[in-house]
């Protein structure tokens, strides 16, 4: 069992300071939401005369708000179910079968999660818009009818399914990678067919992981705003997160009802998230024993080409076609898709970069993502070190509070931060980029802790103990031992946070103003103004930035690891 280190002075006060900062970040936004939902507070007036359930009563008396909650539950249930089934099949094909080429094309599976959901929905509108969509235009030319309007309930579920599938995939795939093939061999030796073995052994043992992945996808679908903002809003379909945003944009804004609806969505997510955590902790099967385990694949005949066909078809429809559609529209000099080479050019990009809105948004996003990601990386490192490496009394509370934002929808955090700035923090900071940066630090606090904790746990505490015995101070142990060994992990997590800072939409559009405009909010602003071709050009630039940062991080990390391997 790993021993916990006792922090030495002058570092023993650090956990209390870190806990204080986490409390200041996490508690006040949620507190103001609760106060708004249960009292007669109005914008600019903090005095509370009484507590009341009036706002919740009005919420449930409104057919539109009730329908928004039910629609959100239906979309989350359906999309998570379809996404989980796709993730289960494709991860099994990738890891446990002899299907050719699937491992080489696996990175394309993760395209939907690498970009903002709003941009992903935008790419699908380029394909299935009822008037200018590429697939609908082709179908209309050939058959005289369109395939499907993306601005419908079916279109909303389709895009949300494709967007959430990679999240479930990264949960289920590690289970199959650690699955002992001897369990399947024993079943086949006993006379069971491959179909029965897969169904009653492989998939049966994976049930806790599958259900956990489903619930995590459900939480993501419930909190998602980007896809409904583009598709559901145009179709007139009420969705809970979209309704929260609409209530804050009316004049005068109805923050009380918005807060009540936000609390309901947050409670649903918290309950589902806790169920998922309990399943992971209490319902896992042991497939890797003390004697180790053997990896292996199941040999299939011609049917493996059918598996390949399904996998490739999914990649084409979920990743390749949407990207082709968004790039073609961004290069088009005419409304819709270009039909001749002379209709293709860079005019949209030149016009875009001549706009102050675009230049300001790009500059602000790069500053927020570069600086904010570094600040959060260092902060979550301290949190994870205290939780994983010390026996300080606050470590349990610190762990709970730092993970709490994971269960809170982004639009809920954004609304709480908006109220936080009105009543607690300096109001003039609200119109600067630091308000959005502060919101993103809160939003991705749990993501950072969850990402960096396994990296710390992989380094044995004995290395730090040896340094202390040799006379190193606490500071030099952190700087020269732990942090140096974690450089590859730091690079990977920094790029992960940078990408999330750039692609975040709900916080951006609720907190952004003309002075602190950021990338994704700028894309949505242009969309509202009707500059469709500039919107797609702006989206392509963001996608190129995200891909470039991701690959730069991978190359830099590999370079560091190769340097260490030579030394």
């Amino acid at each position: 069992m790993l021993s916990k280190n006792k922090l030495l002075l002058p570092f023993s006060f650090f956990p209390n300071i870190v806990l204080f900062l986490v409390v200041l970040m996490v508690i006040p936004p949620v507190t103001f939401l609760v106060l708004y939902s249960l009292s007669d507070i109005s914008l600019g007036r903090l005095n509370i005369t009484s507590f009341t359930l009036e706002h919740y009563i009005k919420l449930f008396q409104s057919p539109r708000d009730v329908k928004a909650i039910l629609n959100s539950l239906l979309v989350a249930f359906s999309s998570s179910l379809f996404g989980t089934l796709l993730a289960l099949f494709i991860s099994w094909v990738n890891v446990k079968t002899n299907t050719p080429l699937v491992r080489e094309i696996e990175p394309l599976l993760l395209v939907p999660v690498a970009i903002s959901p709003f941009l992903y929905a935008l790419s699908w509108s380029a394909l299935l818009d009822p008037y200018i969509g590429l697939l609908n235009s082709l179908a209309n030319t050939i058959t005289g009818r369109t395939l499907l309007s993306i601005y419908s309930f079916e279109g909303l579920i389709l895009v949300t399914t494709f967007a959430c599938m990679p999240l479930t995939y990264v949960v289920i795939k590690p289970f199959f990678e650690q699955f002992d093939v001897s369990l399947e061999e024993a079943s086949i030796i006993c006379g069971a067919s491959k179909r029965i073995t897969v169904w009653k052994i492989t998939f049966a043992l994976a049930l806790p992981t599958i259900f956990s992945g489903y619930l995590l996808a459900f939480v993501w679908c419930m909190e998602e705003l980007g896809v409904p903002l583009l598709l559901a809003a145009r179709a007139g379909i009420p969705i809970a997160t979209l309704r929260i945003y609409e209530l804050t944009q009316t004049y005068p804004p109805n923050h009380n009802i918005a807060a009540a609806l936000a609390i309901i969505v947050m409670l649903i997510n918290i309950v589902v998230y806790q169920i998922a955590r309990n399943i992971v902790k209490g319902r896992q099967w042991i497939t890797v024993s003390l004697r180790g385990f053997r990896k292996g694949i199941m040999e299939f005949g011609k049917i493996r080409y059918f598996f390949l066909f399904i996998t490739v078809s999914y990649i084409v429809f979920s990743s390749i076609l949407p990207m082709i559609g968004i790039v073609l529209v961004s290069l088009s000099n005419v409304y819709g898709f270009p039909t001749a080479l002379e209709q293709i050019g860079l005019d949209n990009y030149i016009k875009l970069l001549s706009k102050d809105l675009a230049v300001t948004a790009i500059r602000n996003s790069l500053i927020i993502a570069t600086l904010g990601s570094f600040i959060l990386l260092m902060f979550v490192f301290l949190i994870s070190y205290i939780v994983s490496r010390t026996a300080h009394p606050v470590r349990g509370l610190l762990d709970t509070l730092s993970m709490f934002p994971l269960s809170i929808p982004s639009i809920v955090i954004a609304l709480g931060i908006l109220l936080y700035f009105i009543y607690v923090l300096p109001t003039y900071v609200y119109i600067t980029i630091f308000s959005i940066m502060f919101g993103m630090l809160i939003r991705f606090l749990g993501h950072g802790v969850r990402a960096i904790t396994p990296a710390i746990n992989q380094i044995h505490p004995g290395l730090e103990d040896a340094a202390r015995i040799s006379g190193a101070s606490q500071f030099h142990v952190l700087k020269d031992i732990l942090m140096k060994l974690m450089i590859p992990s730091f690079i990977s997590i920094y790029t992960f946070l940078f990408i999330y800072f750039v692609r975040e939409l709900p916080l951006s559009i609720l907190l952004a103003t003309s002075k602190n405009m950021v990338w994704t909010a700028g894309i949505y602003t242009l969309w509202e103004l009707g500059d469709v071709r500039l919107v797609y050009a702006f989206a392509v630039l963001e996608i190129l930035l995200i891909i470039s940062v991701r690959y730069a991080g991978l190359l830099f990390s590999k370079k560091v690891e190769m340097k260490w391997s030579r030394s």
Side-chain angles (χ1 to χ4, degrees), residues 71-87 153-168 213-222 224 227-228 239 314:
N71 284 345
S72 293
L73 291 170
L74 179 58
V75 170
F77 172 81
S78 304
S79 300
S80 302
L81 177 61
F82 298 144
T84 301
L85 292 176
L86 283 169
F153 208 89
E154 294 81 6
L156 181 62
I157 291 178
L158 173 70
V159 176
T160 309
T161 296
F162 285 155
C164 77
M165 180 274 185
L167 300 175
T168 313
Y214 170 80
L215 292 178
L216 291 176
F218 183 94
V219 168
W220 182 87
C221 293
M222 280 295 297
E224 176 51 34
V227 177
I239 298 293
Y314 170 80

Side-chain angles (χ1 to χ4, degrees), residues 114-131:
I115 62 176
S116 167
F118 179 76
L119 298 187
Y120 189 63
L122 194 64
S123 67
W124 270 99
S125 71
L127 296 175
L128 291 177
D129 185 283
Y131 302 105

Side-chain angles (χ1 to χ4, degrees), residues 33 37 56 59-60 65-66 68-73 76 218-225 239-245 247 257-273 406-413 415:
L33 277 179
S37 69
Y56 288 93
L59 176 68
F60 286 105
D65 292 335
V66 173
I69 296 173
L70 295 177
N71 284 345
S72 293
L73 291 170
F218 183 94
V219 168
W220 182 87
C221 293
M222 280 295 297
E223 74 171 29
E224 176 51 34
L225 175 64
I239 298 293
T241 51
L242 178 61
R243 186 68 182 138
I244 294 171
Y245 176 70
L247 288 168
I257 301 295
L261 183 54
I263 292 296
I264 291 172
V265 174
M266 183 179 72
L267 290 176
I268 292 173
N269 273 15
I270 289 174
V271 169
V272 173
Y273 182 74
L406 278 175
S407 60
I408 306 177
S410 183
I411 188 67
V412 176
I413 294 178
L415 180 58

Side-chain angles (χ1 to χ4, degrees), residues 504-555:
E504 174 65 13
L505 174 69
L507 272 166
S508 301
I509 62 172
L510 204 57
L511 299 179
T513 66
S514 59
K515 295 184 178 180
N516 63 354
M517 183 62 63
V518 290
W519 209 313
T520 310
I523 293 174
Y524 179 69
T525 301
L526 289 176
W527 174 265
E528 285 190 316
L529 294 175
D531 289 334
V532 178
R533 287 174 294 172
L534 298 188
V535 168
Y536 285 97
F538 212 178
V540 169
L541 290 180
E542 181 176 326
I543 293 170
L544 289 176
L545 173 68
I546 289 173
I547 294 174
S548 300
V549 169
R550 177 58 180 161
Y551 276 97
L554 289 174
L555 291 175

